[in-house]
Amino acid sequence: WRALPPDDPVARQAGRMAPPIHVSFAAGASVTFRFKGTRLGLIGLKGADNGEFRVTVDDLPAETGTFFDRHSLPGRHVMKPWFSAHRLADTEHRVRIELLGTTIDKAAVMRGVAVEVAGHEAFRPHGLYLCGLLLEGEMVAPPAARE
């Protein structure tokens, strides 16, 4: 994981209102933390270079997500939320967010959009830009990253 400085082109695209941004392109890179509360969400940046991530809360079934969508254009990174579907008891929870090594079929997602995905360098990387956590509750142990 690396922090993007404010003058980084991706950070500038996200805008001045974006929280600090951390990024990894290494499959298996993860962030773990603990919180007490009932809801969990993430704020990330969507862009052409997004990959898939997995969120595991306690021993609940893992959820897979991505910030990539049909509006993820080369040279454009904007904030996007993701929310867990799990309704949690108001207790302490262990959370792990991991960048997966799977490849998103970006051409299928972009079908019908006037953007050529095949052969376009901007769509090749599969990374994860994390900006923040959305918690209905409170942090117990701050995020710790592992590459």
Side-chain angles (χ1 to χ4, degrees):
W1 293 97
R2 68 180 174 92
L4 295 184
D7 63 344
D8 181 276
V10 171
R12 283 198 315 257
Q13 289 169 17
R16 292 182 315 203
M17 297 298 291
I21 303 163
H22 291 81
V23 63
S24 181
F25 288 93
S30 64
V31 174
T32 58
F33 63 94
R34 293 190 334 259
F35 82 103
K36 179 184 180 298
T38 58
R39 289 296 312 251
L40 167 68
L42 308 175
I43 293 282
L45 295 184
K46 69 177 183 174
D49 54 354
N50 282 144
E52 228 175 13
F53 57 85
R54 175 175 41 229
V55 177
T56 307
V57 180
D58 302 326
D59 295 323
L60 296 170
E63 297 175 275
T64 302
T66 183
F67 293 116
F68 185 83
D69 64 20
R70 60 184 286 124
H71 304 288
S72 298
L73 302 174
R76 182 173 183 253
H77 289 85
V78 296
M79 287 189 290
K80 181 177 181 179
W82 174 91
F83 293 96
S84 171
H86 296 302
R87 290 293 182 172
L88 305 171
D90 194 9
T91 59
E92 187 174 311
H93 304 283
R94 297 176 325 276
V95 179
R96 183 170 195 265
I97 305 162
E98 177 185 3
L99 176 59
L100 300 176
T102 55
T103 301
I104 298 170
D105 186 352
K106 294 179 179 180
V109 173
M110 300 299 281
R111 192 165 286 122
V113 178
V115 175
E116 182 60 40
V117 174
H120 199 299
E121 279 299 312
F123 290 101
R124 282 207 176 105
H126 293 273
L128 177 57
Y129 295 91
L130 286 177
C131 303
L133 305 172
L134 300 168
L135 305 176
E136 191 170 295
E138 59 189 55
M139 188 66 66
V140 173
R146 184 172 176 194
E147 188 87 29

